[in-house]
Amino acid sequence: METAIFLLFAALAVVSAVVVVAHRNPVHATMSLVLTLFSVAVLFVLLGAPFLAALQILIYAGAILVLFLFVIMLLNVQREETPYHGQPVQRWAAILGAAVFCGMLAMLLFRSSLASNGGAPLGPLTESLVSFKGLAADLFSVDLLPFEIVGLLLLVAVIGASAVAKRPTAEERLAPGRRLPEGPLDGAEDQPR
Amino acid sequence: MHLLWLIPLLPILGTAMLGAIGALGAIGRRPPKALVTLIGLGAPGLSLALALACLARYAAIYPRPYEQTLYAWTAGPLHLDVAFLLDPLSAVMLFVVTFVGFLIHVYSVGYMGHEEGYRRYFAYLNLFMGAMLLLILGANYLVTFVGWEGVGLCSYLLIGFYYDQDFPPYAGKKAFIVNRVGDFAFLVGMFALVARYGTLRYLDVFPRLAADPGPALAPYALGLTFAGFVALCFFVGAMGKSAQIPLYVWLPDAMAGPTPVSALIHAATMVTAGVYMVARSNAIYQLAPGVSGFVAAIGALTAIFAATIGLAQNDIKKVLAYSTVSQLGYMFLAAGLGAYTASIFHLMTHAFFKALLFLGSGSVIHAMGGEQDMRRMGGLKRALPVTYWTFVVGALAIAGIPPLAGFFSKDAILAAAAGGGQWLLYLVGLVTAGLTAFYMFRAVFLTFHGEFRGSDDERHHLHESPPVMTLPLVVLAAGAVAAGWLGIPAVLSFGARLDRFDRFLEPTLWTIAGHPRAVHEMGAGTELGLIALSVAVAVAGILLARRLYDRPSDGLTGPQEDAAIAARFPGLYRTLANKYYVDELYDRAIVRPLARLSGFLWKWIDGFVVDGSVNGSASLADLLGGFGSLTTTGNVRNYALYFFLGVLGLFWWIALS
Amino acid sequence: MSGTVPISWYLVLAALLFAIGAAGALTRRNGISIFLSIELMLNAANLTLVAYSRLWGERTGQLVVFFVLAVAAAEAAVGLALFIAIYRQRRTIDVNRLNLMRW
Amino acid sequence: MSPELTANLAATAAKMVVALGMLLTVVPVMVWVERRGSALMQDRPGPNRLGPFGLFQALADALKFFFKEDVTPTAVDRVMYLAAPVLVLLPALTTFSVIPFGPDLLWNGRRIPLLVADVDAGVLLFLALGSLGVYGLVMAGYGSNNKFSLLGSLRASAQLISYELALTLAVVAAILPVGSFRLPDVVAYQQAHVWTVLPQILGFLVFLVASFAETNRLPFDLAEAESELIAGFHTEYSAMRFASFFMAEYIAMTSLSALGVTLYFGGWSLPGIHLGNGWLGAVLGLLVLTAKIAVALAVFVWVRWTFPRFRYDQLMRLGWKVLLPIALVNFLLTAVLTLLGKI
């Protein structure tokens, strides 16, 4: 039963991940990523981390990716603008590199002790691993400092994001030394090499 | 006497102080002139006082040399000390340099009083005094060489004193570069000495040479013995410093400096350093008779050569400059003949009367507002009586009229030539003496007699110099009269031994084992005859000058007379006036080929090879950088790829190997 | 759930997801797509962390995932704001055209 | 299959039937309530021809949707366009699974909790699944390839993630004293103490306002503001697909109402009355819960026909500058008081 669930969602995750990187339409890609996240969340539940699964969906799927979609629609990002010409090396090197990475990881996996005992069934889930209380207790005692720092980071990120994305006021737009093109830029200097 | 080291140090300190007070300029204030004068005169003055005190003390231990080691510098087996030596030879030089030097400093206060760079002038002059004293007091060749280079530097600085004009800096460079040739030979000589004897200390080298001359007589290089080689090297050094053929060319041009400088450096002291050096190294020269003969020949040649050029010069300082070259030739003639005492004797008397003559000419130039051409002078004796009379004393002294100083010293040299049987050299010396008398009095008559030939402005400007300038003239004139009395030759002593100078210097002459010094004996009659002859030649020269330039029977003025002579002997006169075209010859034979070689080195070796390799490596770096910059596409994805591949590599390295 | 699925399966899955994300981040030209690929890689890392957490019975891995989530949120906020700003200036978020930082 | 598993599956299936039946019957009822209610408020008859009080009007509407021609515009992004209605419906239906609708049933010696998904992270699951609802709207708007739709879904997504914050904070504050994400625990806590609405009146108000926004109901229905965007994200939909959006809206309302009454008004319980763990208790619990939800839905209808529509900037300002700070303060106060043991 568990194996079946794993296989189902693992396959779903991989397929949707491929769609994420392969689909030319960013909205589809984002939607596909939602699916991947959902699958991974299910795997989190299998691994005894229901809290993280919930967070994954609540924060990642429910907030971050909505933000992505929001921006995609706001900027009206259509299909990718420039074709691949002139950069075959980049593409194939990247894909090859990813493959090599996979291979190396697999090699590492089979060389390590996981190869011998990794296949053995795991022990039963412990209460301390699954319960929210244990996680919360750690978060507010052992890891209090990182927790606070993360809070600070989020605050900074909020302020920074609003500062960066803020539409310049009329004066700022007219200030000397600023160039805010209203239409598409002339292509000459921007032609991809 | 233990304060000997202060004598050269004081003027150097003076220089340092004069330089330091220049820092006042940083706060926008000029150093007060009185302070400059105080330091500039005080340092050599104290030096003179100390020198006199030391000499007085030295009398007690005479004739033993006194050596003072300040600092022992050891480099492996080589011992090179900062040490000073006081012996009869350096005592004479010490007296001459400090005494004449101080007088010229005093004179300079008046002469340079209205010039820009008063402080700079005294700083250089003090530095010169220090270096010169280092040169003569040095207890080994190295200290002497330091002084030697120091005076060369000061000479360069002072010749180029008027650096805002065109010619003086050029003349300064010329002096410096020509001197380098000699200095190089001097260095080579020192190296040879070190290589063979392992020391440069006078009181080491000379006693060993004197005790065992054998090794020094072994063949060494250039077909010469070791002694001959070293002697030749030192003489080439002396050629440069003391303006002998063929390295004399810088000295006439050196007149571009202020006149007191000409008097001090280019007449009285520095240029005699070569003579001093040869005399100091007499042990070596005694072992190298061939080179000594060469020295004598060069001296004689220089003497008559410069004298003939002096005949046709119209610049009063040029006349004196060639006269100096000529007199230095005399000194080398004597030194080459082994008459070292005679050469030093002449050196001393010459210091007095040539300094006097230069300072006199300076007084004239001062009065003329900078004019140096004798053709624009004339009749100055009424306006400048003191200058006139002192100048005449100097001229008589150099002409060799008894009983003035020049008579005795020149006679000593001629006697040495005649006594050694070198009649050709004697003849040259005699002719030179006549020529000297002639051109000196030509200068006297052209300058002081006759009618004034300058502009009205200059006539109104004519004035006798202030006492601060005339007083040194008078003192030097007294010296020019009396200095010779220290060395009255035996035949004129009437039984008394009045040749004190010879005897005083005797301890500095080394007696080489197995090489007894030649003692030339002449009959008293012969000697008296020769003296009479030389005096007659001098008088004849003076009279001829007077006939031509003072009371012209044909009603011609001096310059017109020159023109007439030039018309009668055009080729000869032009050759003399143009100094035998030596400068032009050097230009063609040495300077231009050197310039072409330098041009070649510059364009091809430096420009192509050196710059090429430097630029080439830069270009290579640029090229490689160009390849490298191909990776800098500005495309973030490319960078991300590099990063990713790097991570892969790290991963491989850390996790899998 | 007694854990019948070997932990190495999770790790292989995570590696696969990571590789896919890496390939995507390096081949896409659209800024947003690159961002998505990076999120994918983060998720793969998270999966690894949770898997190890399960393997050792330790909560630490889960805690780290929690922090990763927070950081990802911050990163997304700032990153997207940057894209908006860039879009205002250049009317594109195609990273091939955002190549001013060369030479 | 072990008998244990079989029993569990059977129980779960039964609970799902109950829950689904409830949710699906709510829709036609709500259509009728909405129309009659609005008519009542506007002092007009409303639909009154079909059946008693026009009750069958809703059935007629449903039949109409079933038999209308399904039009799919040619320029749409087909995957998005077709998936959107399902995705809208899915979270609305699933969220209800964590709502308990009666006391635990003791039957055949086994204790059956009366909720479909009895998980520890119940509230979280509700919020997580609810947050996925936004994707349906976004996909619908984007997939329609229509600028009005796109604008509508943009508005919807921004609105949803904005109000989700306040909503979540209010919910968390409500369950803070309970110390559990399980909703049965929440009900038990309220039975033991007092309805949460009393101490959490501030949180409840935030929850209430945020609920209107979350369900895209007036006064916050800017995503489908007909005067500006025709019908917003579902402009291009027709027939059953349109009906899906329609249903999703009411089901979401119902689910949210269920969460609200469970959190703040004791859920299936009544204060001071113990329903027992038998069948009677289960039926009574279900009835009590239904009644409470009905009241809540009535409030939705009441509000809809009472308030005017907000402007979009007003909506955002309300969400970020009023509700969020209130929710934060409320959360902080609750946390401190809980820590001090005052609640």
Side-chain angles (χ1 to χ4, degrees):
Chain A
M1 177 74 173
E2 192 190 336
T3 313
I5 295 174
F6 171 82
L7 288 177
L8 175 65
F9 283 99
L12 191 59
V14 170
V15 170
S16 56
V18 170
V19 174
V20 168
V21 300
H23 210 289
R24 301 181 69 111
N25 187 327
V27 175
H28 284 255
T30 313
M31 286 305 176
S32 198
L33 184 60
V34 176
L35 206 54
T36 313
L37 295 177
F38 186 76
S39 311
V40 172
V42 171
L43 297 181
F44 280 180
V45 174
L46 285 186
L47 285 168
F51 181 66
L52 288 182
L55 280 190
Q56 168 115 329
I57 292 182
L58 195 60
I59 295 176
Y60 244 125
I64 298 179
L65 288 188
V66 175
L67 202 60
F68 271 92
L69 277 180
F70 197 77
V71 172
I72 291 170
M73 292 178 182
L74 195 68
L75 304 185
N76 196 18
V77 181
Q78 292 298 334
R79 280 142 213 286
E80 311 213 10
E81 296 173 38
T82 49
Y84 265 120
H85 74 77
Q87 291 197 318
V89 179
Q90 169 80 23
R91 182 181 207 176
W92 293 112
I95 291 171
L96 194 71
V100 168
F101 173 77
C102 257
M104 290 202 299
L105 212 60
M107 252 171 86
L108 186 67
L109 211 57
F110 289 118
R111 268 203 216 165
S112 69
S113 57
L114 279 174
S116 47
N117 69 6
L122 297 160
L125 279 171
T126 52
E127 174 66 22
S128 82
L129 197 62
V130 183
S131 84
F132 297 179
K133 283 206 170 85
L135 213 55
D138 275 1
L139 217 47
F140 291 107
S141 58
V142 184
D143 287 323
L144 184 62
L145 183 66
F147 182 74
E148 295 295 339
I149 290 175
V150 162
L152 192 67
L153 173 74
L154 285 170
L155 180 65
V156 171
V158 166
I159 295 169
S162 15
V164 169
K166 194 165 76 79
R167 183 182 289 278
T169 63
E171 300 134 58
E172 281 169 341
R173 212 174 315 191
L174 293 174
R178 253 195 108 117
R179 191 173 60 113
L180 286 178
E182 288 303 322
L185 290 169
D186 284 345
E189 56 172 358
D190 295 309
Q191 282 309 309
R193 292 169 60 87
Chain B
M1 204 144 58
H2 54 278
L3 290 177
L4 188 64
W5 57 278
L6 266 180
I7 297 175
L9 191 65
L10 276 169
I12 293 174
L13 275 178
T15 301
M17 285 165 70
L18 286 170
I21 62 172
L24 285 174
I27 57 169
R29 291 194 48 191
R30 291 176 71 87
K33 204 170 160 187
L35 183 63
V36 173
T37 310
L38 181 69
I39 298 171
L41 276 190
L46 276 175
S47 206
L48 171 63
L50 258 176
L52 293 175
C54 282
L55 290 175
R57 296 278 182 87
Y58 181 67
I61 64 164
Y62 176 85
R64 280 179 291 121
Y66 170 80
E67 196 173 10
Q68 183 182 34
T69 302
L70 287 184
Y71 173 71
W73 187 66
T74 306
L78 191 59
H79 299 276
L80 293 170
D81 301 343
V82 179
F84 296 129
L85 174 70
L86 192 59
D87 69 349
L89 180 57
S90 48
V92 171
M93 294 300 293
L94 180 61
F95 174 71
V96 170
V97 169
T98 50
F99 185 70
V100 176
F102 177 68
L103 284 179
I104 293 172
H105 272 80
V106 173
Y107 177 89
S108 296
V109 173
Y111 188 82
M112 298 300 290
H114 310 293
E115 299 271 356
E116 275 295 312
Y118 185 69
R119 183 176 60 86
R120 185 162 59 92
Y121 173 84
F122 272 103
Y124 291 166
L125 213 57
N126 274 3
L127 183 63
F128 168 78
M129 284 291 287
M132 189 68 205
L133 290 165
L134 211 59
L135 193 163
I136 57 175
L137 288 175
N140 54 49
Y141 279 110
L142 193 66
V143 176
T144 297
F145 186 70
V146 171
W148 183 276
E149 290 296 319
V151 294
L153 170 69
C154 295
S155 165
Y156 161 75
L157 290 171
L158 284 164
I159 294 169
F161 183 78
Y162 300 114
Y163 60 85
D164 48 351
Q165 296 170 18
D166 282 340
F167 185 66
Y170 165 77
K173 271 190 288 184
K174 185 175 179 181
F176 203 71
I177 291 167
V178 171
N179 264 303
R180 291 255 68 73
V181 179
D183 294 346
F184 175 70
F186 191 177
L187 269 176
V188 171
M190 289 200 327
F191 294 157
L193 264 184
V194 169
R196 179 61 63 92
Y197 287 96
T199 180
L200 290 172
R201 183 167 169 254
Y202 297 141
L203 297 183
D204 275 343
V205 178
F206 301 146
R208 282 165 69 179
L209 276 171
D212 178 21
L217 291 174
Y220 191 70
L222 301 176
L224 294 166
T225 62
F226 177 75
F229 179 74
V230 174
L232 184 65
C233 286
F234 285 170
F235 178 59
V236 173
M239 271 180 190
K241 196 60 81 190
S242 293
Q244 295 301 293
I245 289 175
L247 300 181
Y248 74 96
V249 288
W250 64 271
L251 186 56
D253 286 345
M255 298 303 129
T259 305
V261 169
S262 306
L264 178 60
I265 301 182
H266 305 118
T269 55
M270 185 191 85
V271 292
T272 63
V275 180
Y276 162 78
M277 231 255 303
V278 171
R280 167 65 75 198
S281 312
N282 64 71
I284 299 172
Y285 283 91
Q286 285 183 52
L287 283 170
V291 174
S292 288
F294 178 63
V295 171
I298 289 288
L301 190 59
T302 306
I304 190 162
F305 183 79
T308 52
I309 295 174
L311 295 175
Q313 298 302 312
N314 289 320
D315 184 324
I316 186 167
K317 285 183 71 180
K318 280 282 165 64
V319 172
L320 292 173
Y322 281 104
S323 157
T324 304
V325 176
S326 175
Q327 297 302 311
L328 289 167
Y330 257 111
M331 295 175 210
F332 279 106
L333 173 60
L337 290 169
Y340 305 106
T341 53
S343 100
I344 295 297
F345 188 34
H346 193 57
L347 187 160
M348 184 186 78
T349 57
H350 174 257
F352 281 103
F353 57 67
K354 187 50 66 64
L356 169 62
L357 286 170
F358 262 116
L359 294 188
S361 77
S363 183
V364 169
I365 294 164
H366 195 62
M368 291 289 294
E371 180 58 63
Q372 301 188 3
D373 193 333
M374 293 187 295
R375 285 170 298 187
R376 300 180 58 78
M377 298 177 185
L380 295 181
K381 75 178 173 189
R382 282 178 297 282
L384 305 166
V386 180
T387 306
Y388 172 65
W389 285 113
T390 51
F391 199 88
V392 167
V393 168
L396 287 171
I398 197 173
I401 302 300
L404 278 66
F407 163 72
F408 295 105
S409 58
K410 196 177 286 184
D411 185 64
I413 293 169
L414 289 175
Q422 305 285 349
W423 291 105
L424 182 62
L425 294 179
Y426 172 81
L427 195 63
V428 169
L430 192 65
V431 171
T432 303
L435 292 173
T436 304
F438 173 76
Y439 67 67
M440 279 318 299
F441 275 88
R442 170 176 173 262
V444 170
F445 295 136
L446 279 178
T447 307
F448 293 100
H449 290 217
E451 291 300 314
F452 185 69
R453 295 181 292 274
S455 65
D456 286 345
D457 272 358
E458 285 167 339
R459 190 196 298 279
H460 291 302
H461 184 258
L462 288 177
H463 62 279
E464 180 59 283
S465 298
V468 73
M469 287 166 68
T470 52
L471 200 64
L473 288 179
V474 173
V475 174
L476 284 171
V481 170
W485 299 343
L486 291 170
I488 298 171
V491 282
L492 297 179
S493 311
F494 307 107
R497 296 216 53 186
L498 293 179
D499 52 345
R500 276 163 300 216
F501 197 81
D502 269 3
R503 280 182 286 122
F504 180 73
L505 281 183
E506 188 70 26
T508 60
L509 298 182
W510 296 90
T511 308
I512 312 294
H515 292 71
R517 258 184 290 140
V519 177
H520 307 300
E521 289 299 333
M522 281 188 293
T526 318
E527 200 168 346
L528 281 174
L530 292 176
I531 289 171
L533 181 59
S534 70
V535 173
V537 166
V539 171
I542 294 171
L543 289 178
L544 180 63
R546 178 184 163 86
R547 202 178 99 69
L548 285 175
Y549 296 105
D550 189 31
R551 292 192 185 145
S553 52
D554 45 9
L556 294 174
T557 58
Q560 289 166 333
E561 193 66 48
D562 274 345
I565 295 168
R568 202 178 306 165
F569 310 103
L572 181 65
Y573 190 83
R574 236 192 351 262
T575 307
L576 292 183
N578 286 306
K579 313 146 201 166
Y580 294 104
Y581 299 103
V582 170
D583 276 337
E584 287 76 3
L585 180 71
Y586 282 6
D587 188 51
R588 293 269 159 74
I590 298 172
V591 178
R592 285 196 198 169
L594 261 179
R596 265 201 293 279
L597 179 66
S598 303
F600 167 78
L601 290 175
W602 162 46
K603 278 198 183 115
W604 291 100
I605 304 299
D606 192 56
F608 190 73
V609 178
V610 178
D611 286 2
S613 58
V614 172
N615 291 342
S617 54
S619 303
L620 189 66
D622 187 45
L623 190 69
L624 293 177
F627 282 125
S629 77
L630 288 181
T631 63
T632 313
T633 55
N635 191 326
V636 190
R637 298 164 56 240
N638 296 147
Y639 300 162
L641 181 62
Y642 309 149
F643 171 74
F644 181 63
L645 295 179
V647 169
L648 278 189
L650 269 182
F651 188 69
W652 180 271
W653 184 54
I654 293 171
L656 292 178
S657 54
Chain C
M1 280 172 270
S2 56
T4 52
V5 180
I7 213 74
S8 52
W9 292 20
Y10 288 99
L11 296 179
V12 169
L13 174 66
L16 258 177
L17 290 181
F18 188 89
I20 293 170
L26 294 176
T27 50
R28 306 310 307 200
R29 287 141 296 160
N30 184 324
I32 298 275
S33 296
I34 292 176
F35 231 130
L36 291 175
S37 304
I38 291 171
E39 300 292 345
L40 195 56
M41 289 156 77
L42 278 174
N43 237 266
N46 283 352
L47 184 58
T48 316
L49 284 166
V50 175
Y52 275 110
S53 162
R54 172 79 178 87
L55 178 65
W56 307 121
E58 275 274 343
R59 279 197 299 266
T60 318
Q62 297 191 15
L63 286 167
V64 173
V65 172
F66 174 82
F67 292 130
V68 171
L69 283 177
V71 171
E75 168 226 340
V78 176
L80 290 171
L82 281 173
F83 276 124
I84 291 175
I86 289 171
Y87 187 81
R88 282 218 186 95
Q89 282 277 355
R90 316 256 315 159
R91 297 281 145 192
T92 180
I93 53 166
D94 184 332
V95 292
N96 266 6
R97 293 184 171 226
L98 304 177
N99 55 358
L100 293 177
M101 276 175 59
R102 59 178 176 201
W103 299 306
Chain D
M1 258 190 212
S2 66
E4 177 80 3
L5 191 60
T6 316
N8 272 345
L9 278 179
T12 306
K15 286 185 283 188
M16 280 171 76
V17 168
V18 172
L20 271 179
M22 186 169 165
L23 286 175
L24 291 179
T25 45
V26 154
V27 179
V29 173
M30 274 311 292
V31 171
W32 180 81
V33 170
E34 189 98 66
R35 299 186 72 171
R36 291 293 292 193
S38 62
L40 188 69
M41 289 172 130
Q42 291 164 353
D43 201 12
R44 56 182 173 84
N48 56 1
R49 302 294 151 140
L50 252 66
F53 309 108
L55 262 174
F56 297 154
Q57 182 61 44
L59 282 176
D61 283 350
L63 277 174
K64 181 190 74 180
F65 280 131
F66 270 113
F67 292 112
K68 265 184 94 167
E69 186 191 0
D70 181 23
V71 178
T72 304
T74 45
V76 297
D77 183 327
R78 287 193 69 86
V79 178
M80 296 272 180
Y81 180 81
L82 297 181
V86 184
L87 266 180
V88 167
L89 214 44
L90 207 63
L93 284 170
T94 46
T95 44
F96 194 78
S97 60
V98 296
I99 306 290
F101 47 83
D104 288 355
L105 182 63
L106 288 174
W107 186 54
N108 275 356
R110 62 173 79 233
R111 192 182 187 90
I112 304 169
L114 289 185
L115 73 170
V116 180
D118 183 18
V119 293
D120 283 344
V123 176
L124 274 183
L125 192 61
F126 187 100
L127 294 172
L129 290 173
S131 70
L132 288 179
V134 70
Y135 285 105
L137 308 187
V138 168
M139 284 168 84
Y142 181 80
S144 298
N145 200 6
N146 174 316
K147 68 178 79 166
F148 295 112
S149 302
L150 188 70
L151 275 174
S153 61
L154 262 180
R155 282 182 175 190
S157 55
Q159 176 180 339
L160 255 58
I161 51 179
S162 301
Y163 279 78
E164 208 171 73
L165 271 166
L167 185 83
T168 307
L169 279 169
V171 170
V172 171
I175 62 168
L176 207 52
V178 184
S180 168
F181 283 115
R182 272 184 86 234
L183 281 173
D185 292 346
V186 176
V187 175
Y189 177 84
Q190 290 182 85
Q191 261 185 319
H193 296 79
V194 68
W195 283 2
T196 317
V197 70
L198 291 178
Q200 285 289 327
I201 183 68
L202 208 57
F204 174 67
L205 287 176
V206 171
F207 182 89
L208 188 66
V209 177
S211 303
F212 296 134
E214 282 293 295
T215 49
N216 279 319
R217 291 280 297 192
L218 262 170
F220 304 130
D221 67 338
L222 288 117
E224 45 190 294
E226 48 288 67
S227 53
E228 304 165 28
L229 300 176
I230 310 177
F233 51 84
H234 53 66
T235 303
E236 299 283 1
Y237 286 89
S238 56
M240 266 318 287
R241 298 189 205 287
F242 174 75
S244 306
F245 286 104
F246 206 71
M247 286 164 67
E249 183 180 332
Y250 285 106
I251 293 172
M253 273 165 60
T254 311
S255 294
L256 209 54
S257 299
L259 180 68
V261 297
T262 308
L263 279 177
Y264 292 100
F265 294 97
W268 48 264
S269 69
L270 286 170
I273 298 168
H274 191 67
L275 292 177
N277 295 88
W279 283 101
L280 183 66
V283 173
L284 279 180
L286 186 59
L287 284 177
V288 170
L289 182 68
T290 311
K292 286 179 179 173
I293 290 175
V295 173
L297 289 176
V299 172
F300 267 99
V301 174
W302 174 36
V303 168
R304 174 172 177 183
W305 297 105
T306 308
F307 287 97
R309 186 181 289 141
F310 275 48
R311 239 179 25 237
Y312 198 71
D313 60 322
Q314 291 171 331
L315 172 84
M316 281 310 201
R317 194 174 301 144
L318 178 69
W320 287 101
K321 294 187 176 173
V322 179
L323 285 189
L324 187 61
I326 290 176
L328 273 172
V329 167
N330 177 51
F331 173 70
L332 208 62
L333 271 177
T334 312
V336 169
L337 289 177
T338 307
L339 200 64
L340 296 175
K342 297 286 193 233
I343 299 176

